[in-house]
Amino acid sequence: MTATDSDSDGSSQEDDAAQRSQLLEKFQKRAANGDLTPEAGGSNDTPAESTSTGKQRDGSGESIVVDFVANFVAGGDATFDPVKGRVLMSGRRLVLATSKTKTTIPIASVFDIAVGQVPQEVEEFFDYTVMVGYVEGKYRRTTVIGGDRETIEKFSLLLFRATLNGSTALVTHPAKVGGRVMDTEAQKTGLHLDYESVTFPDGDVDTGSEEPFSIDLASVIFFEVIERTDSDGDAKLVLSVQHVENGQTVTSEISMTSRRKMNILGRYLRLIYHWIKSDVRDVDVDESELEVLVGLYSTPEDIDLASLLDIGAGELEARLASLYEDDLITAEEPPIDLTPQGRFIVNDEFEDVNV
């Protein structure tokens, strides 16, 4: 039996609600004892108006999901002389085109995507880049695409999705609950990337609900890629992810037969984790605002939050306005959800509460 097994879906939901309410109770006890030293953060959406994502079609009938103008060094050009041209991408290939040349990179040949690391050879030309490693015949090549941060970040997310969405994964969930190893069998699933989560559809991972298993990237505490030997003596890579789920720390393990895709998935998690953590670094959230965040996380939408926190409606409105201004919640009035940055702060608080 795994940690998510229960006599019924109803009892599982009741357990989840109890765990989340306990978090609020523990927080309020610590606040009363003066033990809180909260840190906080903000948000940074990454729209790229210059990046077209319409469903155009090229001459082969493929849908074009990216079409924008950028500077790039294509195919590991030894001269490191950037040229200006069009960057186009379908679900099958990435094309870098100028008036004189065209470099075509099959998506299936991409083995690495590194965002924001400007190579020394081209740092005088670019403020922000994505490096794309790919295989051409027997050779590994690198392309560097540079531009403004918003455009490159949005393009990079689309490239990660084109590379990984629709892949097959083996998922063990939960592999651990806290420090306790669970006897959970790996399940074959699909894989789908969103900005806020990695979802594993079309599998039998037990979630206690009809929804597919999903890892909220704002809930990730720690992850690492480890090498294991299977029953046949073959080495395989396993991505071990510790994350907060319904008020408790669990470890999920993910593996794919392709080491190339395992590397790219690890890159994706590091990137999103870095973005969210960077966003929560510079905004101060005081104790009273943190209490509201924990209350929103821990209670159903229909609960009177002002009464629960024993504050007036005007005081609650002021705290919500401040949290919304810092991009930690999605709205000032119900329905209100926590943003990834808001969830990151609450999950960090959860770890402190359980130390």
Side-chain angles (χ1 to χ4, degrees):
M1 176 178 290
T2 70
T4 54
D5 288 334
S6 61
D7 295 335
S8 68
D9 288 345
S11 61
S12 176
Q13 292 171 0
E14 290 173 1
D15 291 343
D16 293 345
Q19 290 166 352
R20 293 160 78 96
S21 63
Q22 287 171 7
L23 175 59
L24 178 59
E25 291 173 5
K26 290 180 180 179
F27 173 87
Q28 291 175 324
K29 287 180 181 179
R30 290 183 65 206
N33 294 331
D35 295 334
L36 294 178
T37 55
E39 298 179 357
S43 172
N44 178 30
D45 294 332
T46 57
E49 295 179 358
S50 60
T51 305
S52 170
T53 57
K55 293 294 185 179
Q56 309 172 48
R57 292 188 179 274
D58 63 10
S60 66
E62 295 179 39
S63 295
I64 304 299
V65 295
V66 167
D67 184 357
F68 67 102
V69 176
N71 293 312
F72 49 78
V73 178
D77 190 337
T79 64
F80 292 103
D81 186 16
V83 295
K84 189 172 185 177
R86 290 177 68 189
V87 179
L88 303 100
M89 188 177 73
S90 70
R92 295 176 55 189
R93 67 197 79 204
L94 172 65
V95 178
L96 309 176
T98 70
S99 59
K100 298 180 180 179
T101 63
K102 183 172 77 169
T103 300
T104 300
I105 303 171
I107 297 297
S109 73
V110 174
F111 65 84
D112 198 11
I113 303 169
V115 182
Q117 302 176 10
V118 183
Q120 184 177 359
E121 296 86 351
V122 296
E123 62 183 2
E124 63 181 292
F125 303 106
F126 297 133
D127 293 327
Y128 203 76
T129 66
V130 54
M131 291 190 296
V132 183
Y134 63 100
V135 177
E136 185 177 63
K138 297 181 179 180
Y139 301 98
R140 289 192 168 198
R141 301 193 181 278
T142 301
T143 282
V144 181
I145 304 169
D148 67 90
R149 186 182 185 116
E150 289 185 353
T151 299
I152 295 302
E153 286 184 350
K154 184 172 183 180
F155 163 66
S156 300
L157 292 177
L158 293 171
L159 180 57
F160 273 111
R161 292 170 188 170
T163 306
L164 291 177
N165 281 0
S167 301
T168 300
L170 284 176
V171 176
T172 304
H173 173 77
K176 293 181 181 178
V177 175
R180 183 162 54 103
V181 177
M182 309 301 291
D183 185 20
T184 308
E185 293 186 3
Q187 300 292 334
K188 186 176 180 180
T189 73
L191 187 149
H192 183 84
L193 301 184
D194 289 312
Y195 172 66
E196 297 183 7
S197 64
V198 179
T199 301
F200 301 89
D202 304 321
D204 294 325
V205 178
D206 187 4
T207 63
S209 72
E210 296 181 357
E211 297 297 322
F213 172 55
S214 180
I215 297 177
D216 176 7
L217 296 181
S219 75
V220 173
I221 301 166
F222 176 77
F223 59 89
E224 62 180 339
V225 177
I226 55 181
E227 187 169 86
R228 290 221 181 106
T229 303
D230 62 21
S231 58
D232 297 325
D234 298 324
K236 68 173 184 177
L237 296 181
V238 175
L239 180 62
S240 176
V241 184
Q242 291 181 25
H243 54 108
V244 177
E245 185 177 88
N246 296 321
Q248 60 184 349
T249 302
V250 301
T251 300
S252 303
E253 294 186 346
I254 307 156
S255 64
M256 291 184 281
T257 56
S258 168
R259 283 184 171 242
R260 172 183 72 88
K261 291 188 176 183
M262 284 291 293
N263 177 61
I264 295 172
L265 180 59
R267 283 282 201 188
Y268 182 77
L269 288 184
R270 290 186 192 95
L271 177 67
I272 301 301
Y273 182 82
H274 171 73
W275 284 353
I276 295 174
K277 188 173 183 179
S278 296
D279 285 343
V280 303
R281 187 174 295 151
D282 299 324
V283 177
D284 293 327
V285 172
D286 64 28
E287 179 181 320
S288 64
E289 293 170 346
L290 184 55
E291 183 180 32
V292 174
L293 280 180
V294 175
L296 288 169
Y297 172 86
S298 306
T299 57
E301 289 183 5
D302 56 354
I303 294 293
D304 183 347
L305 192 57
S307 297
L308 180 68
L309 301 180
D310 195 25
I311 60 176
E315 175 63 20
L316 177 60
E317 289 178 4
R319 296 185 192 182
L320 290 173
S322 178
L323 293 170
Y324 180 70
E325 183 178 351
D326 288 335
D327 292 323
L328 301 180
I329 58 176
T330 59
E332 295 183 57
E333 298 179 354
I336 302 173
D337 290 323
L338 273 62
T339 64
Q341 290 76 20
R343 295 196 303 275
F344 185 94
I345 291 172
V346 171
N347 288 321
D348 189 56
E349 176 61 26
F350 168 80
E351 282 300 291
D352 290 342
V353 163
N354 286 278
V355 169

